[in-house]
Amino acid sequence: MKKSIELSANIEALFGTRDENLHVLEDGLNINIDLRSDHIELEGAPRDVARAEQLFADYDQLRRTGYQFQNGDLNSMLRVLVTDPNVTLRGLAEAGRQRSFGRRTVQPKSPNQRRYLEAIEQHDMVFGVGPAGTGKTYLAVAMAISALLNKQVNRIILARPAVEAGERLGFLPGTLQEKIDPYLRPLYDALFDMLDPERVERYLEKNVIEIAPIAFMRGRTLNDSFVILDEAQNTTSEQMKMFVTRLGFNSKAVITGDITQIDLPNARRSGLLEAIDILKGVNGLTFVHFDETDVVRHHLVQRIIRAYDEHRVRLAEQQMSLIETKPAAGENGQTKTANGANRNEGEGHPVAGSEGTSVSMEQQPQARN
């Protein structure tokens, strides 16, 4: 099917740098887009062409109503749109407009990020699990700020385990706040990115935004709060149970973590891993899993994460093959040999008998002189 669309004023911004947005549409919708001097020709399956036509109409309508696309937002929206036939450009833009993120406009840059934001809106407790750079913490802070500015909650509480990444910094000087600040720096970065520094400092002074060390949260009930637990893979089982039971009335909790970067000492089991196993069937909470395709940092980060994942799979396969090749213990302390014969500890090597059975060297009759 072919369809011709007239070029409207200022539609060139939709094309992107070196037509990169058009390439996203061509690859995602399986259509061909041909630019002419005064119109665009679309060719492909009727359903795909209709979706592309709707996209151009939505873009023109949004532009006429004064909607401004920030750097990279349009490309991110298109990548989400081509993966979900039920999503429209206008719907994505208006959903972002309904949320107030301070001085920033935050748009999901992948289908999983979109599901993450929707899950936070629809559930009181959300676990965001995935590799570094997928926006788990940043989007959680954005939703917390949105809830605070829209008066859905009265305060934001940020928590993070005080566990170093592979090294021990020793005693840190200063007050309790100064001691835990280095561990909470990623959360501070997100706050200062979305709110004016003076506003952040004012909120911190008035405890509207509270930094709460997870070690001192026992016994508290957190009402009218948006609570974020970052780096949850470094919580112990006891800490995780304690945190998820702090939730009070009219509150939300978002727990984020990367199960491939556990820094707990003495090989202790991660509280996040245990929570995934225990809470996966509980109504009212949900899990959103990210992968390397959701990474929004440098494109090298995606390839690095993929390489580590493939390396981990290879190690697991090697360990399984070693386990399978180990001799399996038989009954009465006997050991199975390669041909299936049993051999007791301390006995000689088995040899095949006349009937296909195995007997040890000690059991063979001695030859007569």
Side-chain angles (χ1 to χ4, degrees):
M1 174 183 177
K2 285 187 177 182
K3 184 75 175 183
S4 179
I5 301 176
E6 292 186 6
L7 288 175
S8 58
N10 299 321
I11 199 173
E12 295 82 5
L14 174 61
F15 303 158
T17 305
R18 297 179 181 175
D19 297 336
E20 61 177 353
N21 292 341
L22 297 184
H23 296 322
V24 171
L25 293 177
E26 287 182 322
D27 295 338
L29 299 179
N30 296 316
I31 60 174
N32 292 323
I33 301 177
D34 188 11
L35 292 176
R36 300 298 177 90
S37 59
D38 59 347
H39 68 281
I40 303 173
E41 288 188 357
L42 308 175
E43 183 177 2
R47 182 179 179 182
D48 297 330
V49 170
R51 289 186 64 195
E53 185 179 11
Q54 180 64 46
L55 184 146
F56 282 102
D58 285 349
Y59 179 82
D60 188 53
Q61 179 64 28
L62 288 169
R63 187 187 57 79
R64 291 177 184 275
T65 57
Y67 187 89
Q68 296 291 328
F69 290 94
Q70 303 297 322
N71 292 337
D73 283 349
L74 182 56
N75 185 268
S76 301
M77 290 181 185
L78 296 180
R79 293 183 183 277
V80 173
L81 186 147
V82 297
T83 58
D84 190 343
N86 298 318
V87 173
T88 64
L89 181 63
R90 189 173 180 180
L92 286 175
E94 291 179 349
R97 183 184 290 170
Q98 292 169 1
R99 307 184 186 106
S100 175
F101 299 112
R103 60 180 183 178
R104 296 280 292 181
T105 300
V106 178
Q107 285 291 344
K109 298 183 183 300
S110 71
N112 284 332
Q113 286 192 356
R114 176 172 169 264
R115 283 191 284 270
Y116 186 50
L117 294 180
E118 292 176 349
I120 294 174
E121 288 180 334
Q122 298 168 6
H123 296 81
D124 291 333
M125 185 175 292
V126 177
F127 288 79
V129 184
T134 50
K136 305 182 299 296
T137 302
Y138 190 87
L139 292 176
V141 173
M143 293 298 288
I145 291 174
S146 176
L148 180 66
L149 296 181
N150 290 325
K151 302 187 183 304
Q152 297 172 356
V153 297
N154 294 331
R155 58 180 173 169
I156 297 172
I157 299 176
L158 308 176
R160 201 172 194 239
V163 178
E164 296 97 338
E167 57 182 333
R168 299 294 174 261
L169 300 179
F171 175 78
L172 295 178
T175 63
L176 175 64
Q177 190 70 43
E178 292 170 338
K179 291 177 187 293
I180 64 174
D181 273 357
Y183 302 101
L184 296 162
R185 182 50 52 189
L187 297 171
Y188 280 122
D189 291 342
L191 287 173
F192 283 106
D193 193 37
M194 296 179 207
L195 295 174
D196 294 327
E198 297 80 10
R199 197 173 193 180
V200 174
E201 295 295 344
R202 187 168 68 251
Y203 283 162
L204 289 170
E205 288 176 5
K206 295 182 178 180
N207 274 340
V208 175
I209 297 177
E210 179 184 349
I211 308 299
I214 193 171
F216 302 123
M217 293 187 69
R218 189 179 298 277
R220 298 186 63 183
T221 301
L222 307 176
N223 295 316
D224 299 308
S225 304
F226 197 114
V227 194
I228 299 174
L229 173 60
D230 194 29
E231 298 290 338
Q233 77 276 4
N234 289 328
T235 60
T236 63
S237 174
E238 296 80 9
Q239 286 176 331
M240 177 59 75
K241 181 182 177 182
M242 180 267 294
F243 178 83
V244 297
T245 55
R246 298 307 94 200
L247 201 65
F249 295 107
N250 190 38
S251 293
K252 283 183 180 289
V254 179
I255 298 99
T256 70
D258 178 3
I259 58 176
T260 67
Q261 298 190 52
I262 299 174
D263 302 310
L264 288 173
N266 304 324
R268 299 188 66 178
R269 179 169 170 79
S270 167
L272 178 59
L273 283 174
E274 186 176 81
I276 293 173
D277 293 336
I278 295 175
L279 303 179
K280 58 186 176 184
V282 176
N283 291 329
L285 60 82
T286 188
F287 293 84
V288 179
H289 294 271
F290 298 86
D291 55 36
E292 74 275 1
T293 61
D294 301 302
V295 173
V296 293
R297 293 176 181 168
H298 194 284
H299 60 83
L300 265 178
V301 177
Q302 287 189 2
R303 296 199 285 268
I304 290 171
I305 292 173
R306 189 180 303 116
Y308 272 100
D309 289 342
E310 292 172 353
H311 176 67
R312 189 169 64 253
V313 170
R314 287 196 300 270
L315 286 180
E317 291 174 349
Q318 291 174 3
Q319 292 174 355
M320 288 299 297
S321 63
L322 288 174
I323 293 173
E324 292 172 355
T325 55
K326 281 184 179 180
E331 297 179 358
N332 302 323
Q334 294 179 331
T335 302
K336 291 280 188 179
T337 61
N339 62 1
N342 291 334
R343 176 167 64 87
N344 288 320
E345 294 292 334
E347 292 182 349
H349 295 288
V351 296
S354 59
E355 299 299 327
T357 59
S358 297
V359 294
S360 65
M361 294 295 293
E362 290 82 357
Q363 293 172 326
Q364 294 184 69
Q366 295 183 355
R368 295 182 180 179
N369 292 331

